[in-house]
Amino acid sequence: MFLSCLKMNSRKFSYLFVMMAMLLPNLVFAQSAPNPENWLTSPGIIGTFFLIAIVLIIAIVIALFRASSYIGTVKAKKLNAEKMAFNEDLIGLSESEIDEILLKRKQALKFKLAGEELGSAEQALDEKGLVSKVSHDPGAPLVDEKRKSPLIFETPPDLKKIIIFYLGASVFWLVFGTLVGQYVGMKFVWPDMDHVAWLSFGRLRPVHTNTVFWGWASMAMIGLGYFVIARTSNTTIHSYKWAWTAWWFLNLSVLMGNYFLMIGINNGGGEYREYIWPITLIFALGLVITFFNYYKTVANRKISEIYISNWYILAALIWTIVLVTIGYIPTYQDGLGETVIQGYYMHQGVGMWFMTFTLGLTYYYLPSSLNKPIYSYSLGVLAFWTQMLFYTMIGSHHFVFSPLPWWLQTVAIVFSAGMFIPVVAGTTNFLMTMKGSWNHISKSYVLPFFLVGVVFYFVGSTQGSLQAFRFTNYVWHFTDFNVAHSHMTMYGIISFLLWASIYAILPKITGKEPKQLFVGVHFWMAFIGLFAYMISMMAGGTLRGLSWIEGNYFIQSVVLMKPYWVWRAIGGSLMFLSHLMFAYNFYVMTRRPLVLADQTKKLDTITA
């Protein structure tokens, strides 16, 4: 019996061996590098050009709307000037001439339309039920126009304070983190700026990335999330004490993490996880406390439904807690296992923490700013579950043509292509929600931020899927193109959507509006700076990759990048200046009303 089984197994083994021998040449051939000739005709390259064109078109559309609004303002001022001139002319007229003018005016006022010029006397019928709501108020706004809006949410003082302090910390870390990034970017142009160890590129670069990740974006998301969780659950936050505890933990971890990075103590080469594990543990505790606080608030809700925003927000917290745990387990940090975990951690951090949480915020703040419901709840659910499915397996597409198993690389590429589904579903949902409100872009300082964020959500995510293809990966991997892609997503999507949400909610809970001019300066400097940064790094990164493929010396690609690094520094400078303007706008929206104190003193004096 044993011999027969052994004979059968040996026969199966021989068949398997023959099949593997037949497939081996194919596997070896599959690992060979693609042909770079006619690289411009690659679908990934063509698709990227198309996506960049979309961003440029959106910028032109916004600029045209703004220019049209400015021209309308100029015409209104001219009309007022003509009226003033007419009034001055009246002073020099005789009484008979004035009487004649007034008589003509009275006759003109008596003129009335018959009421049938554009229709008939028949009653209008809506047999197909196309009209859902009829308003007879001509002043009813279709969008939150942000012109000293009297709408102020009745927000509990404790909740208001929590939101302002979380957002205030995020603004501080944004300015600090991008100041470091600005300095690092300038070192590409002037590498001999300093010779101090803690100012070296290797130490400051992770300070920049971790600060804007865990300081700016994370603090802003959690602060904005507290309002969404409470508002959509129609209840109060479960524990303000826990919210403050998490605030201290999160800020302490970023502060201590940056200090250790500057003195040269880090977690090794793991990108976005350079903080050593005790520091990350503090941050993870802050996330656990935040999740439990959010969860208990939603569990104590006064309504039966759980709004789609809460799905995204709670899922983002759950995934990130799991992600941090897996990313720091020592068992996985050896050999190729560390490489697999790095791809998993890096992409999950961006997609399942920042992207998922920010999309949840957008599902609340975008419709509320437009004074209308989200276009489709079903599309939101589809986007949510497909993102949960596809995003978990795409991290290895950063290691195509590496020693990782070929099947694992293929799975990452296939799942990257699958990301088209949640991206298209989410983008369609947001754009259809904005449908009918495009003309209000010239009046609102919130909508341009939302529009750019949504467009970059489609462009950046789709471009990432195209970049996962083997040929585009072959050209762009390890080049500056990846820096452009990361800024297209983390800055173009996350930062713009967070700014939109902050500008949407802060005036409503504080009653203080920033000047439209200053918000416009923030928007255009950030957008133009990002575009200059993105295009320069994409163009230079492509040429650098082709230079490597041609077999040129590495130093030649360094010299080749110099003009593109100059434009990188210019774009980064505009972005940093926009953050200073944003910080001032935040101060305007949150400063204490000192005028009220002066008025109280005057009243006391009058009473005395």
Side-chain angles (χ1 to χ4, degrees), residues 385-524:
W385 285 112
T386 50
Q387 173 141 338
M388 296 300 108
L389 170 65
F390 290 113
Y391 220 111
T392 55
M393 295 294 292
I394 69 176
S396 297
H397 72 211
H398 283 275
F399 302 105
V400 176
F401 301 113
S402 72
L404 293 185
W406 189 249
W407 67 266
L408 184 61
Q409 301 176 35
T410 303
V411 168
I413 296 172
V414 172
F415 275 63
S416 299
M419 279 300 297
F420 283 116
I421 299 174
V423 169
V424 171
T427 304
T428 302
N429 214 2
F430 295 143
L431 291 179
M432 291 303 292
T433 303
M434 299 175 74
K435 182 181 179 182
S437 303
W438 304 115
N439 59 321
H440 291 275
I441 290 177
S442 61
K443 303 174 185 178
S444 170
Y445 57 69
V446 172
L447 288 185
F449 282 98
F450 271 126
L451 180 58
V452 168
V454 170
V455 169
F456 265 112
Y457 173 53
F458 174 75
V459 171
S461 301
T462 304
Q463 193 276 319
S465 296
L466 296 175
Q467 193 172 337
F469 296 164
R470 285 194 170 91
F471 178 80
T472 48
N473 217 301
Y474 181 63
V475 175
W476 288 332
H477 197 42
F478 297 126
T479 71
D480 299 74
F481 196 101
N482 291 295
V483 182
H485 172 71
S486 64
H487 282 75
M488 186 191 303
T489 52
M490 278 301 300
Y491 197 88
I493 304 173
I494 306 301
S495 291
F496 271 84
L497 290 178
L498 290 178
W499 285 327
S501 301
I502 291 171
Y503 282 128
I505 191 57
L506 268 186
K508 291 179 180 178
I509 65 175
T510 65
K512 299 162 193 169
E513 298 266 357
K515 291 186 178 180
Q516 281 225 6
L517 175 63
F518 292 163
V519 180
V521 170
H522 171 205
F523 173 82
W524 285 111

Side-chain angles (χ1 to χ4, degrees), residues 32-309:
S32 62
N35 186 4
E37 294 182 5
N38 300 322
W39 61 275
L40 279 172
T41 60
S42 168
I45 304 291
I46 295 174
T48 299
F49 281 132
F50 174 74
L51 294 171
I52 294 173
I54 292 177
V55 176
L56 188 59
I57 292 171
I58 292 299
I60 294 173
V61 169
I62 295 176
L64 289 176
F65 273 115
R66 289 291 182 180
S68 176
S69 176
Y70 176 75
I71 293 172
T73 303
V74 172
K75 287 182 178 180
K77 289 182 178 179
K78 184 178 179 181
L79 183 61
N80 291 332
E82 291 176 354
K83 289 180 179 179
M84 289 294 296
F86 176 74
N87 293 336
E88 292 176 358
D89 292 339
L90 285 177
I91 299 174
L93 297 176
S94 63
E95 291 184 4
S96 59
E97 290 174 328
I98 294 175
D99 290 340
E100 184 178 353
I101 293 173
L102 290 176
L103 181 61
K104 291 180 179 179
R105 288 285 181 96
K106 288 181 179 179
Q107 292 175 350
L109 291 173
K110 292 180 180 179
F111 177 78
K112 293 183 178 180
L113 293 173
E116 298 182 357
E117 285 79 4
L118 299 177
S120 66
E122 297 182 3
Q123 185 178 2
L125 296 176
D126 182 25
E127 297 178 349
K128 295 184 178 181
L130 300 177
V131 179
S132 60
K133 183 179 180 181
V134 177
S135 174
H136 298 285
D137 181 9
L142 294 178
V143 68
D144 196 355
E145 294 186 354
K146 292 299 177 189
R147 289 187 173 180
K148 299 297 180 184
S149 172
L151 178 61
I152 300 177
F153 289 154
E154 294 183 4
T155 309
D158 290 336
L159 177 58
K160 186 186 302 185
K161 189 176 181 180
I162 281 289
I163 295 171
I164 291 175
F165 268 76
Y166 268 90
L167 295 181
S170 73
V171 173
F172 170 79
W173 290 122
L174 173 66
V175 174
F176 173 76
T178 51
L179 175 63
V180 174
Q182 170 70 10
Y183 187 77
V184 169
M186 292 171 66
K187 295 189 77 168
F188 278 91
V189 184
W190 300 289
D192 295 326
M193 287 178 62
D194 65 77
H195 299 281
V196 183
W198 62 273
L199 290 178
S200 62
F201 179 86
R203 297 191 187 182
L204 286 185
R205 196 267 179 179
V207 170
H208 163 64
T209 54
N210 285 277
T211 301
V212 295
F213 272 37
W214 315 122
W216 147 240
S218 298
M219 295 297 292
M221 292 188 312
I222 293 173
L224 293 166
Y226 268 110
F227 184 85
V228 174
I229 290 288
R231 188 79 175 178
T232 56
S233 300
N234 194 25
T235 188
T236 58
I237 297 299
H238 175 68
S239 173
Y240 290 110
K241 182 180 179 180
W242 287 358
W244 283 113
T245 303
W247 187 89
W248 283 107
F249 278 177
L250 297 172
N251 282 287
L252 181 63
S253 65
V254 178
L255 180 65
M256 293 178 63
N258 288 338
Y259 172 75
F260 279 105
L261 289 177
M262 285 186 174
I263 64 175
I265 299 176
N266 56 64
N267 191 43
E271 192 173 20
Y272 308 146
R273 52 175 175 157
E274 290 89 352
Y275 289 168
I276 57 178
W277 72 262
I279 302 297
T280 303
L281 178 61
I282 299 174
F283 191 89
L285 289 175
L287 292 185
V288 172
I289 293 172
T290 302
F291 168 73
F292 194 70
N293 211 7
Y294 279 4
Y295 170 76
K296 291 293 290 185
T297 303
V298 174
N300 297 331
R301 65 190 183 280
K302 302 292 179 61
I303 55 178
S304 59
E305 297 84 3
I306 299 179
Y307 186 58
I308 188 68
S309 290

